[in-house]
Amino acid sequence: MSIKIEIGSAADIVALSKQIPEFEQATTLERLQSRLDGAVSLILVAKLEGALVGYKVGYQLTEETFYSWLGGVIPEHRKHGVATLLLNYQEKWVLNSGYKQIKVKSMNRFPGMLNLLISNGYEIVGIEESVCGSEGKIVFLKRLVV
């Protein structure tokens, strides 16, 4: 069972996000394009025997900071290292592109993501209070070393 990480498209992300039950609403093409248009961005997909099983999307916040915005793995493909492979690929690309750090936000209701971030050297640097009664976000930062 070999998982391949490669560059994906916005359409890939839209299709995959519909298969991730934790997300209240699937990501739309319009939402992706409005956030990524004009920004340096990276869309990664994980494939197992040619089928999409996960993704990770990020974009430049500043010259030094890359923001890892969206990511997910289809439930039946979790606990097989897919998210770790996506994270590692993104980190290498970000470092090779000259950024100094990666910023990520997550929530308590995603314990798998919190564990992944902490076990890979991401540090909690803040909390974003909730808006409109939604859950607040935990802000993580990882400084990359050359």
Side-chain angles (χ1 to χ4, degrees):
M1 180 163 102
S2 176
I3 296 162
K4 285 182 61 185
I5 306 300
E6 53 190 61
I7 302 299
S9 69
D12 292 334
I13 305 315
V14 170
L16 273 164
S17 74
K18 291 176 183 170
Q19 300 176 64
I20 298 179
E22 291 87 350
F23 299 157
E24 294 90 26
Q25 65 218 28
T27 299
T28 64
L29 206 51
E30 295 76 23
R31 182 174 175 230
L32 281 165
Q33 288 171 336
S34 72
R35 185 72 67 104
L36 301 178
D37 275 356
V40 174
S41 62
L42 177 65
I43 297 176
L44 296 175
V45 292
K47 289 185 176 180
L48 177 61
E49 296 170 4
L52 295 169
V53 296
Y55 68 94
K56 197 153 195 58
V57 180
Y59 57 89
Q60 177 178 316
L61 272 183
T62 68
E63 283 187 25
E64 291 195 348
T65 307
F66 191 83
Y67 180 58
S68 185
W69 176 38
L70 294 174
V73 176
I74 296 172
E76 56 269 26
H77 296 287
R78 292 179 186 164
K79 305 222 184 297
H80 299 291
V82 176
T84 301
L85 289 171
L86 286 161
L87 181 102
N88 290 339
Y89 190 108
Q90 183 184 63
E91 283 183 8
K92 284 181 188 137
W93 183 91
V94 168
L95 184 61
N96 290 337
S97 298
Y99 297 97
K100 305 277 187 265
Q101 56 194 15
I102 299 178
K103 183 177 186 178
V104 186
K105 297 176 191 171
S106 193
M107 296 179 220
N108 276 330
R109 66 186 163 112
F110 300 129
M113 185 63 183
L114 301 178
N115 288 332
L116 177 70
L117 292 169
I118 291 167
S119 66
N120 281 279
Y122 287 76
E123 296 178 12
I124 296 172
V125 295
I127 303 288
E128 272 187 13
E129 295 300 321
S130 65
V131 246
C132 313
S134 67
E135 185 180 353
K137 294 182 180 175
I138 303 164
V139 182
F140 291 86
L141 196 66
K142 181 171 184 177
R143 288 172 181 77
L144 303 170
V145 207
V146 179

